PDB file of all heavy atoms in Angstrom:
ATOM      1  N   ILE A  61      13.107   1.418 -18.663  1.00  0.00           N
ATOM      2  CA  ILE A  61      13.966   2.278 -17.830  1.00  0.00           C
ATOM      3  C   ILE A  61      14.405   1.485 -16.598  1.00  0.00           C
ATOM      4  O   ILE A  61      13.591   0.839 -15.940  1.00  0.00           O
ATOM      5  CB  ILE A  61      13.196   3.566 -17.426  1.00  0.00           C
ATOM      6  CG1 ILE A  61      12.943   4.416 -18.670  1.00  0.00           C
ATOM      7  CG2 ILE A  61      13.963   4.359 -16.361  1.00  0.00           C
ATOM      8  CD1 ILE A  61      12.008   5.595 -18.459  1.00  0.00           C
ATOM      9  N   SER A  62      15.706   1.542 -16.312  1.00  0.00           N
ATOM     10  CA  SER A  62      16.220   0.778 -15.175  1.00  0.00           C
ATOM     11  C   SER A  62      15.920   1.500 -13.866  1.00  0.00           C
ATOM     12  O   SER A  62      15.921   2.730 -13.800  1.00  0.00           O
ATOM     13  CB  SER A  62      17.738   0.616 -15.350  1.00  0.00           C
ATOM     14  OG  SER A  62      18.351   0.458 -14.111  1.00  0.00           O
ATOM     15  N   ALA A  63      15.701   0.705 -12.815  1.00  0.00           N
ATOM     16  CA  ALA A  63      15.388   1.287 -11.498  1.00  0.00           C
ATOM     17  C   ALA A  63      16.549   2.113 -10.956  1.00  0.00           C
ATOM     18  O   ALA A  63      16.364   2.953 -10.082  1.00  0.00           O
ATOM     19  CB  ALA A  63      15.034   0.178 -10.519  1.00  0.00           C
ATOM     20  N   ASP A  64      17.756   1.880 -11.490  1.00  0.00           N
ATOM     21  CA  ASP A  64      18.928   2.643 -11.014  1.00  0.00           C
ATOM     22  C   ASP A  64      19.047   4.003 -11.695  1.00  0.00           C
ATOM     23  O   ASP A  64      19.830   4.835 -11.263  1.00  0.00           O
ATOM     24  CB  ASP A  64      20.235   1.893 -11.350  1.00  0.00           C
ATOM     25  CG  ASP A  64      20.242   0.512 -10.756  1.00  0.00           C
ATOM     26  OD1 ASP A  64      19.623   0.349  -9.690  1.00  0.00           O
ATOM     27  OD2 ASP A  64      20.842  -0.391 -11.368  1.00  0.00           O
ATOM     28  N   ASP A  65      18.327   4.187 -12.785  1.00  0.00           N
ATOM     29  CA  ASP A  65      18.498   5.394 -13.594  1.00  0.00           C
ATOM     30  C   ASP A  65      17.620   6.529 -13.051  1.00  0.00           C
ATOM     31  O   ASP A  65      16.541   6.821 -13.570  1.00  0.00           O
ATOM     32  CB  ASP A  65      18.141   5.064 -15.057  1.00  0.00           C
ATOM     33  CG  ASP A  65      18.568   6.170 -16.008  1.00  0.00           C
ATOM     34  OD1 ASP A  65      18.868   7.289 -15.530  1.00  0.00           O
ATOM     35  OD2 ASP A  65      18.587   5.906 -17.227  1.00  0.00           O
ATOM     36  N   GLU A  66      18.135   7.184 -12.021  1.00  0.00           N
ATOM     37  CA  GLU A  66      17.337   8.196 -11.324  1.00  0.00           C
ATOM     38  C   GLU A  66      16.920   9.342 -12.251  1.00  0.00           C
ATOM     39  O   GLU A  66      15.789   9.837 -12.163  1.00  0.00           O
ATOM     40  CB  GLU A  66      18.129   8.743 -10.127  1.00  0.00           C
ATOM     41  CG  GLU A  66      17.286   9.666  -9.279  1.00  0.00           C
ATOM     42  CD  GLU A  66      17.941  10.069  -7.968  1.00  0.00           C
ATOM     43  OE1 GLU A  66      19.048   9.578  -7.665  1.00  0.00           O
ATOM     44  OE2 GLU A  66      17.323  10.862  -7.241  1.00  0.00           O
ATOM     45  N   ALA A  67      17.833   9.739 -13.152  1.00  0.00           N
ATOM     46  CA  ALA A  67      17.524  10.866 -14.045  1.00  0.00           C
ATOM     47  C   ALA A  67      16.357  10.510 -14.963  1.00  0.00           C
ATOM     48  O   ALA A  67      15.424  11.305 -15.150  1.00  0.00           O
ATOM     49  CB  ALA A  67      18.756  11.225 -14.874  1.00  0.00           C
ATOM     50  N   ALA A  68      16.393   9.292 -15.524  1.00  0.00           N
ATOM     51  CA  ALA A  68      15.319   8.881 -16.445  1.00  0.00           C
ATOM     52  C   ALA A  68      13.997   8.727 -15.683  1.00  0.00           C
ATOM     53  O   ALA A  68      12.929   9.043 -16.209  1.00  0.00           O
ATOM     54  CB  ALA A  68      15.692   7.570 -17.131  1.00  0.00           C
ATOM     55  N   ILE A  69      14.085   8.276 -14.446  1.00  0.00           N
ATOM     56  CA  ILE A  69      12.855   8.107 -13.655  1.00  0.00           C
ATOM     57  C   ILE A  69      12.263   9.476 -13.309  1.00  0.00           C
ATOM     58  O   ILE A  69      11.056   9.695 -13.443  1.00  0.00           O
ATOM     59  CB  ILE A  69      13.135   7.251 -12.402  1.00  0.00           C
ATOM     60  CG1 ILE A  69      13.390   5.823 -12.895  1.00  0.00           C
ATOM     61  CG2 ILE A  69      11.977   7.331 -11.409  1.00  0.00           C
ATOM     62  CD1 ILE A  69      13.430   4.748 -11.907  1.00  0.00           C
ATOM     63  N   SER A  70      13.121  10.419 -12.943  1.00  0.00           N
ATOM     64  CA  SER A  70      12.635  11.773 -12.632  1.00  0.00           C
ATOM     65  C   SER A  70      11.972  12.382 -13.865  1.00  0.00           C
ATOM     66  O   SER A  70      10.884  12.954 -13.778  1.00  0.00           O
ATOM     67  CB  SER A  70      13.784  12.676 -12.184  1.00  0.00           C
ATOM     68  OG  SER A  70      14.369  12.133 -11.041  1.00  0.00           O
ATOM     69  N   ALA A  71      12.623  12.239 -15.025  1.00  0.00           N
ATOM     70  CA  ALA A  71      12.062  12.798 -16.261  1.00  0.00           C
ATOM     71  C   ALA A  71      10.758  12.078 -16.617  1.00  0.00           C
ATOM     72  O   ALA A  71       9.775  12.703 -17.028  1.00  0.00           O
ATOM     73  CB  ALA A  71      13.066  12.668 -17.396  1.00  0.00           C
ATOM     74  N   GLY A  72      10.738  10.758 -16.408  1.00  0.00           N
ATOM     75  CA  GLY A  72       9.555   9.957 -16.730  1.00  0.00           C
ATOM     76  C   GLY A  72       8.336  10.380 -15.919  1.00  0.00           C
ATOM     77  O   GLY A  72       7.198  10.302 -16.401  1.00  0.00           O
ATOM     78  N   CYS A  73       8.559  10.829 -14.699  1.00  0.00           N
ATOM     79  CA  CYS A  73       7.444  11.239 -13.832  1.00  0.00           C
ATOM     80  C   CYS A  73       6.584  12.308 -14.503  1.00  0.00           C
ATOM     81  O   CYS A  73       5.379  12.376 -14.285  1.00  0.00           O
ATOM     82  CB  CYS A  73       7.962  11.758 -12.491  1.00  0.00           C
ATOM     83  SG  CYS A  73       8.474  10.431 -11.397  1.00  0.00           S
TER      84      CYS A  73
END
Side-chain angles (χ1 to χ4, degrees):
I61 293 171
S62 154
D64 303 329
D65 192 345
E66 187 171 356
I69 290 192
S70 300
C73 283

